[in-house]
Amino acid sequence: MSENDILEMDSLSDTEEERGDAELGMIDEEVVYPEEFLPTYHSIREGAKVDKAQQAEFNGKPDSLFFNDGVRRIDFILVYEDEDKKDFEKRHTFARRLRRREYFEASLMKMGVELEATPSVVDDKLTFLKIHMPWDVLCTYAEVLHIKLPIQVNDLSSRPSPWRYLSWIAKPFYPSEDLIRKETEFFTAPFEKDRLEYFYVKDRDIFFTPSMRSRMAYYILSRAPYEIRGSIKKFGMNKLLDGGVYKAAYPLHDCRFNVRSSEEGCPNERYLLYEEWAHPKSFYKMQPLDLIRKYYGEKIGIYFAWLGFYTIMLTLAAAVGLGCFIYGYTTKDTNIISVCDPNIGGKLVMCPQCDSCNYWPLISTCDTSKKLCIFDNFGTLVFAVFMAVWVTLFLEFWKRYQAELEYEWDTVEFLEQEEPPRPEYEAKCVYERKNPVTGVKEKVPYTAWGRCVRVSIGMGTVLFWIMLILASIVAITVYRLAVFITFSTKLRNTDLKDLEPLKEYVTPQMATSVTASIISFVVIMILNVLYERVAIWITDFELPRTKTDYENSLTLKMFLFQFVNYYSSCFYIAFAKGKAVGYPGKPVYLLGEYRNEECDPGGCLIELTTQLAIIMGGKAIWNNIQEVLLPSPLFYSSEKVIPRWEQDYQLQPSSKLGLFYEYLEMVIQFGFVTLFVASFPLAPVLALINNLAEIRIDAWKITTQFRRIVPEKAQDIGAWQPILQGIAILAVATNAMIIAFTSDMIPRLVYYWSFSVYPYGDHPDNTMEGYINSSLSVFNISDFHSRSLVTNTSIPSNFSSSLLFFFRYRDFRFPPGHPRQYEHNVYYWHVNAAKMAFIIVVEHIVYFTKFILSYMIPDVPYAVKEQIKREKYLTQIILHETNLKLVTRRLKNGDDEILSNEEAKVTKEEMELDF
């Protein structure tokens, strides 16, 4: 390998990147940030001597969060290796890294940032660069980032809760007030440096919280230049991290998670979070959301607020679902008497379900039918309607709760124009356009045609991968068809004495369903890894403007992938399997080779329940194992005193995608809980158990195992909100269709109300007696297809000869010998009409109920509206009307000056006259 090869490998082949951009005509002028983004930065001339960071040895204080002088607070940490102490790299490689680092640090100091470098206590090759933001720099960038800060204590008294008299009951479930005290509430306004006197500045050292300081430091670090090459300026800490110039970048935790800091005045917020939130002993306590937001930022806070609210709402759904399950379990023996009756189910022989299958007695499905009745009963219908209302209440009440958090956390007016563009976007802004809103010329990274091309390529790639997922589902379906024949042949001819306790459950249909579900789950896990890389590549290629735009675009793509990946097999079982199978004399074949598989003798609903249980349970177990058993941070074994910044370096770095996977996991679970709940009432129970563990695992993970996450602003849960609303709308249709097409509820109701009495039945009163006989059609063995005649000769010996030529199958068709034999009878058309009517009526009733609830429940509570108006009024009075006072004062000063000039003129004229 040549030296040039090593040069190209460093930092994502910058030369190739520039060459590619030059060929596209994209580099035709200097790329510079406008003054509004970096108001304190002034370019360093190329070739000029650059300042270097101040060097300082560790002062022996392991819990210190300050420079060695004990005055300047550490706002961020950069870590790099000392190239002079490395002997295995080429000299010019680390010389270039050193040059870039020195220029980057000089740029930071040019912007007013103060630096101090301290060598590692454990590893002599490492150096930690401490970054401090002085007061003037903080004020400047607080104004740039529109950070809202206190102007006055909140003087609106909160309305007493109607549950205040029962607060003593809930007190044990809240964090200890002795440890986590409630902070004073303030009215806030976007910071303006010129009006500092109007803000509530009690102490400059704590006016900007550590999370605010870290956020501003990260903003500067992401935009400071590190290299000038000709007319090209290169920006940003992220590329330096990718290129190996720096090893890590992170804000500091304020203490160890399990030990209080020895520094005087340290808030010990990490320790408090661990004790009252992340520790397993606090699993029953409510989350300290205000402290989470203060320590980790609004984005982390809003995630845990949503997850906690979702879990609390799940308790109601889980209770009703468990009650539905208990009802079905206790009544299962009263709903399937006909199937288990030896005089009814014992005398009916069913047609083979594949070309190489045997005949089978209907009574063999007795146990399966009992299990099915646990989930297929009238309680399930009530629960499905309840869940449709529940999901509406969940979304509406979440909007209200989110509005309260938006106000309390100062994100009400967090608009897109306040969010700065991504450095990756800004670095490629080479085209000029006129802003349609402001009318001012601005830089953009692509033309209208270029954007169209990017979006088109992205959409095409997404569609291609979705088709690939569907192809995998088709492959699994073919597997089911092929394996069902094998299981049917093997299991019927195999002695299962070793499986005696499970013998009654090991049927060809169940074996096929379980193995296919497991294979489907494995395929889902494998494809997830590929989807992630593809979705990230597409989103990077589209080049969204802000980080919120980036995350929303990635969210939509990943959810489309995951939706098809996780739910397609469930949709197949619920709405496609067993629906187009023909009848024994004329079966339907897939690809002309495989006979379409029929449902389990007990129905497709029990297979859908099995599929859901395996995927939900397997996914939850797999995700929790991954989160808990991830490689723990490697701590150095040393007797030396290790400083705070070096302890944090040993922790795991946070993910670049932040909470994306946490949200994705929960939203996929939300889909299982709502879309197919009619087939599995225990889904909310499993989700509740998983979420109770998920909250504490996530809390333990970010508090103890990871470096402190850079705080970010967020107003809501982003693109996940419309996704949840879409799932809620779709869930009404899917559950109605599951009950109509997958369950046997509608055929039973049609028989009970219509076909058991005159004119179709002989019973004087409505009854379920005779339902089994009427729901099974008759088939003559002589009408078998030639492909089936050869193999289907194994007839149970315990049946009389009078039954040897007539067998049953699940359908509603005329019997042999009828003028319209094997055509659908009137029962079939009544059942289908009832199914369509059921879907239409249920959907309209539920959608109308959802609309009424959405209209009646306001998105923003009245008390919050009052506080928002009060805050806007104060902002107008305190800040904006000061402009009028300044103008008035200047006008008055100007009038006095004019008057004094006139008086001076008069005096001069008088003196001249006197002279």
Side-chain angles (χ1 to χ4, degrees):
M1 182 180 290
S2 65
E3 294 184 1
N4 290 333
D5 293 334
I6 297 176
L7 181 65
E8 292 297 325
M9 289 172 61
D10 184 52
S11 77
L12 195 59
S13 61
D14 296 322
T15 306
E16 289 184 6
E17 187 177 30
E18 292 166 12
R19 188 186 305 121
D21 290 343
E23 291 175 357
L24 295 173
M26 294 177 63
I27 298 178
D28 53 0
E29 57 182 328
E30 185 177 356
V31 181
V32 184
Y33 279 109
E35 184 72 13
E36 62 180 292
F37 293 132
L38 295 173
T40 58
Y41 173 69
H42 303 284
S43 298
I44 302 175
R45 288 181 291 115
E46 188 175 2
K49 185 178 180 180
V50 295
D51 297 331
K52 295 184 178 181
Q54 178 184 356
Q55 300 290 321
E57 295 293 330
F58 173 49
N59 59 7
K61 298 181 178 180
D63 293 330
S64 175
L65 304 176
F66 296 87
F67 281 18
N68 275 12
D69 56 16
V71 177
R72 291 173 292 176
R73 177 180 293 274
I74 301 172
D75 298 317
F76 223 86
I77 291 290
L78 295 177
V79 186
Y80 63 87
E81 287 187 298
D82 191 348
E83 288 83 359
D84 293 335
K85 298 179 181 179
K86 297 174 68 176
D87 54 2
F88 57 90
E89 288 196 71
K90 300 296 181 182
R91 179 174 296 276
H92 73 276
T93 302
F94 58 72
R96 184 181 65 170
R97 293 182 180 176
L98 176 62
R99 183 172 64 251
R100 287 183 168 183
R101 187 175 67 249
E102 288 180 346
Y103 189 92
F104 181 73
E105 294 172 4
S107 299
L108 292 176
M109 288 186 283
K110 191 78 172 179
M111 299 165 73
V113 177
E114 298 178 3
L115 308 178
E116 183 178 87
T118 300
S120 169
V121 173
V122 178
D123 187 352
D124 60 354
K125 294 180 180 178
L126 289 178
T127 300
F128 293 85
L129 184 68
K130 295 171 280 188
I131 297 173
H132 170 73
M133 303 272 287
W135 173 256
D136 290 339
V137 178
L138 288 172
C139 291
T140 299
Y141 285 96
E143 187 171 0
V144 171
L145 295 176
H146 302 273
I147 293 177
K148 301 183 75 174
L149 290 160
I151 55 176
Q152 180 180 309
V153 176
N154 190 336
D155 56 1
L156 289 180
S157 59
S158 58
R159 297 184 177 182
S161 171
W163 308 103
R164 62 187 183 280
Y165 300 110
L166 301 177
S167 59
W168 60 274
I169 299 177
K171 187 175 181 180
F173 299 96
Y174 282 86
S176 172
E177 295 180 358
D178 296 332
L179 294 177
I180 302 178
R181 298 177 181 176
K182 188 175 182 180
E183 297 186 359
T184 306
E185 295 184 4
F186 289 92
F187 291 117
T188 60
F191 183 77
E192 295 183 35
K193 185 167 60 173
D194 296 335
R195 298 168 182 167
L196 180 62
E197 65 272 17
Y198 298 102
F199 286 87
Y200 191 85
V201 186
K202 190 174 181 180
D203 186 350
R204 286 193 174 189
D205 293 335
I206 61 174
F207 181 63
F208 297 105
T209 64
S211 61
M212 293 178 185
R213 301 172 68 106
S214 299
R215 182 180 163 209
M216 288 185 275
Y218 182 78
Y219 179 86
I220 294 176
L221 291 169
S222 298
R223 287 159 178 78
Y226 63 82
E227 186 176 69
I228 297 179
R229 187 179 295 179
S231 62
I232 306 301
K233 285 185 179 181
K234 298 187 176 182
F235 297 90
M237 171 188 66
N238 293 333
K239 271 216 162 185
L240 296 179
L241 290 170
D242 294 337
V245 177
Y246 289 102
K247 306 293 291 183
Y250 51 90
L252 285 181
H253 283 296
D254 62 357
C255 64
R256 284 178 286 177
F257 69 87
N258 56 350
V259 179
R260 286 182 177 271
S261 173
S262 60
E263 288 289 316
E264 183 179 355
C266 180
N268 288 290
E269 291 174 349
R270 186 190 185 193
Y271 171 79
L272 297 179
L273 286 172
Y274 177 74
E275 287 293 318
E276 295 296 309
W277 179 48
H279 198 286
K281 71 178 182 181
S282 302
F283 74 95
Y284 62 93
K285 291 187 177 182
M286 303 293 286
Q287 302 182 89
L289 294 176
D290 289 334
L291 184 58
I292 296 171
R293 172 251 180 173
K294 182 182 177 183
Y295 193 74
Y296 289 113
E298 288 78 9
K299 196 166 192 177
I300 300 291
I302 202 74
Y303 164 73
F304 282 103
W306 175 81
L307 181 55
F309 185 82
Y310 171 46
T311 304
I312 291 174
M313 289 291 292
L314 270 178
T315 55
L316 178 60
V320 178
L322 185 61
C324 177
F325 174 80
I326 294 173
Y327 168 78
Y329 185 82
T330 55
T331 59
K332 68 179 187 300
D333 294 326
T334 62
N335 293 329
I336 37 77
I337 296 177
S338 299
V339 174
C340 298
D341 189 347
N343 295 322
I344 300 177
K347 292 184 178 181
L348 296 178
V349 183
M350 304 296 292
C351 290
Q353 291 189 304
C354 67
D355 292 335
S356 60
C357 298
N358 297 328
Y359 298 91
W360 51 279
L362 180 61
I363 197 172
S364 64
T365 65
C366 178
D367 293 319
T368 305
S369 298
K370 286 183 179 180
K371 293 193 293 287
L372 177 63
C373 287
I374 297 175
F375 304 102
D376 189 7
N377 53 67
F378 294 109
T380 304
L381 171 60
V382 175
F383 184 58
V385 175
F386 165 80
M387 285 301 295
V389 177
W390 173 88
V391 74
T392 303
L393 293 175
F394 164 66
L395 293 175
E396 292 302 319
F397 284 126
W398 164 247
K399 289 179 184 177
R400 289 173 59 84
Y401 185 48
Q402 184 174 254
E404 295 178 12
L405 293 177
E406 286 177 13
Y407 172 74
E408 293 176 5
W409 294 355
D410 298 323
T411 60
V412 173
E413 298 177 355
F414 179 64
L415 305 178
E416 182 181 356
Q417 55 265 32
E418 297 181 12
E419 185 178 6
R422 297 166 57 237
E424 295 83 356
Y425 177 93
E426 293 173 315
K428 295 183 181 296
C429 288
V430 295
Y431 297 103
E432 196 173 76
R433 72 154 191 175
K434 185 177 181 180
N435 189 301
V437 177
T438 63
V440 179
K441 289 186 177 180
E442 63 180 7
K443 296 286 186 178
V444 294
Y446 34 63
T447 61
W449 170 251
R451 176 172 175 78
C452 181
V453 170
R454 289 173 182 265
V455 173
S456 300
I457 294 176
M459 292 177 60
T461 309
V462 169
L463 291 176
F464 169 78
W465 278 90
I466 289 178
M467 295 303 295
L468 184 63
I469 302 172
L470 296 177
S472 68
I473 299 302
V474 172
I476 293 175
T477 303
V478 173
Y479 161 84
R480 298 173 71 105
L481 300 179
V483 170
F484 177 71
I485 298 174
T486 305
F487 279 138
S488 298
T489 304
K490 298 293 184 182
L491 293 179
R492 301 295 183 188
N493 300 324
T494 303
D495 188 6
L496 300 177
K497 289 183 178 180
D498 295 337
L499 300 175
E500 190 60 39
L502 304 175
K503 182 177 179 180
E504 59 184 19
Y505 301 102
V506 183
T507 63
Q509 293 84 1
M510 186 57 65
T512 302
S513 178
V514 171
T515 56
S517 298
I518 294 174
I519 293 175
S520 177
F521 173 73
V522 173
V523 171
I524 286 171
M525 291 295 119
I526 294 174
L527 291 180
N528 279 345
V529 179
L530 300 177
Y531 298 154
E532 175 189 337
R533 298 182 181 181
V534 172
I536 292 175
W537 177 84
I538 296 172
T539 309
D540 289 339
F541 180 74
E542 291 178 354
L543 204 63
R545 180 178 181 273
T546 64
K547 188 169 184 179
T548 299
D549 293 337
Y550 181 92
E551 291 178 350
N552 290 345
S553 178
L554 180 63
T555 295
L556 182 60
K557 294 179 180 62
M558 282 295 291
F559 180 75
L560 286 175
F561 288 148
Q562 301 283 12
F563 184 90
V564 179
N565 197 12
Y566 278 108
Y567 302 143
S568 53
S569 59
C570 296
F571 275 103
Y572 165 74
I573 295 174
F575 306 123
K577 184 179 179 181
K579 302 300 185 292
V581 295
Y583 61 95
K586 191 178 180 181
V588 177
Y589 289 88
L590 179 66
L591 304 176
E593 179 70 21
Y594 301 100
R595 178 174 168 177
N596 277 4
E597 67 174 329
E598 300 181 27
C599 291
D600 186 273
C604 278
L605 192 68
I606 193 66
E607 293 190 47
L608 179 59
T609 303
T610 303
Q611 180 84 357
L612 284 170
I614 289 177
I615 293 181
M616 275 195 72
K619 183 175 180 295
I621 293 172
W622 176 256
N623 288 334
N624 287 327
I625 288 176
Q626 276 189 316
E627 292 182 0
V628 174
L629 299 183
L630 279 175
S632 299
L634 298 177
F635 294 96
Y636 298 123
S637 56
S638 175
E639 297 179 356
K640 299 180 180 178
V641 178
I642 302 177
R644 170 82 267 135
W645 50 84
E646 197 154 356
Q647 295 176 40
D648 284 5
Y649 178 68
Q650 298 167 11
L651 300 176
Q652 297 182 46
S654 58
S655 170
K656 291 184 178 180
L657 295 179
L659 296 168
F660 173 78
Y661 294 106
E662 311 297 339
Y663 272 118
L664 182 62
E665 178 185 351
M666 290 296 103
V667 172
I668 292 295
Q669 180 205 89
F670 180 81
F672 282 123
V673 169
T674 55
L675 290 175
F676 307 102
V677 74
S679 65
F680 192 37
L682 289 179
V685 178
L686 295 181
L688 176 62
I689 296 172
N690 175 76
N691 289 6
L692 290 174
E694 183 74 22
I695 291 175
R696 303 304 162 177
I697 290 174
D698 287 346
W700 173 82
K701 186 172 58 177
I702 70 170
T703 305
T704 66
Q705 303 297 300
F706 284 84
R707 298 169 189 161
R708 188 170 182 176
I709 301 171
V710 179
E712 294 184 57
K713 204 82 169 174
Q715 186 177 19
D716 47 36
I717 60 175
W720 300 111
Q721 184 84 19
I723 288 175
L724 292 175
Q725 293 173 341
I727 292 175
I729 294 173
L730 181 61
V732 178
T734 55
N735 284 295
M737 293 174 67
I738 286 173
I739 293 174
F741 295 113
T742 311
S743 166
D744 283 337
M745 188 178 302
I746 301 300
R748 292 201 300 264
L749 289 174
V750 170
Y751 177 81
Y752 180 83
W753 290 107
S754 297
F755 283 82
S756 64
V757 295
Y758 180 84
Y760 300 107
D762 300 330
H763 301 280
D765 299 317
N766 300 100
T767 180
M768 288 301 295
E769 185 179 347
Y771 167 71
I772 294 297
N773 192 57
S774 66
S775 65
L776 299 176
S777 299
V778 181
F779 183 76
N780 192 332
I781 191 174
S782 61
D783 296 327
F784 261 124
H785 191 273
S786 59
R787 182 183 295 187
S788 302
L789 273 174
V790 179
T791 56
N792 289 294
T793 57
S794 177
I795 302 173
S797 59
N798 58 330
F799 289 91
S800 61
S801 58
S802 60
L803 297 174
L804 292 182
F805 298 102
F806 296 97
F807 301 93
R808 299 302 186 97
Y809 60 99
R810 292 174 60 91
D811 209 340
F812 306 106
R813 296 178 184 269
F814 289 109
H818 192 277
R820 298 173 58 190
Q821 67 174 4
Y822 303 133
E823 294 183 14
H824 288 116
N825 57 24
V826 66
Y827 194 177
Y828 171 83
W829 299 111
H830 274 71
V831 168
N832 277 278
K835 288 179 178 180
M836 298 306 300
F838 172 82
I839 293 174
I840 294 172
V841 171
V842 169
E843 283 188 349
H844 280 69
I845 292 176
V846 173
Y847 282 136
F848 180 73
T849 305
K850 290 165 68 71
F851 172 77
I852 294 297
L853 290 173
S854 300
Y855 179 78
M856 292 177 60
I857 302 174
D859 292 345
V860 182
Y862 180 75
V864 174
K865 288 182 179 179
E866 287 183 336
Q867 292 179 333
I868 292 174
K869 291 178 181 179
R870 172 69 172 164
E871 187 171 273
K872 287 183 177 180
Y873 171 76
L874 289 176
T875 303
Q876 182 73 23
I877 293 296
I878 296 177
L879 297 182
H880 295 286
E881 290 191 1
T882 56
N883 284 335
L884 182 60
K885 295 179 182 178
L886 290 173
V887 171
T888 303
R889 189 183 306 147
R890 289 174 181 173
L891 288 175
K892 182 178 179 181
N893 293 337
D895 292 340
D896 293 342
E897 185 177 352
I898 292 172
L899 181 61
S900 61
N901 289 337
E902 290 179 352
E903 292 176 350
K905 184 178 180 181
V906 172
T907 305
K908 184 178 180 182
E909 291 176 351
E910 290 177 350
M911 291 177 63
E912 289 176 351
L913 288 175
D914 292 342
F915 178 75

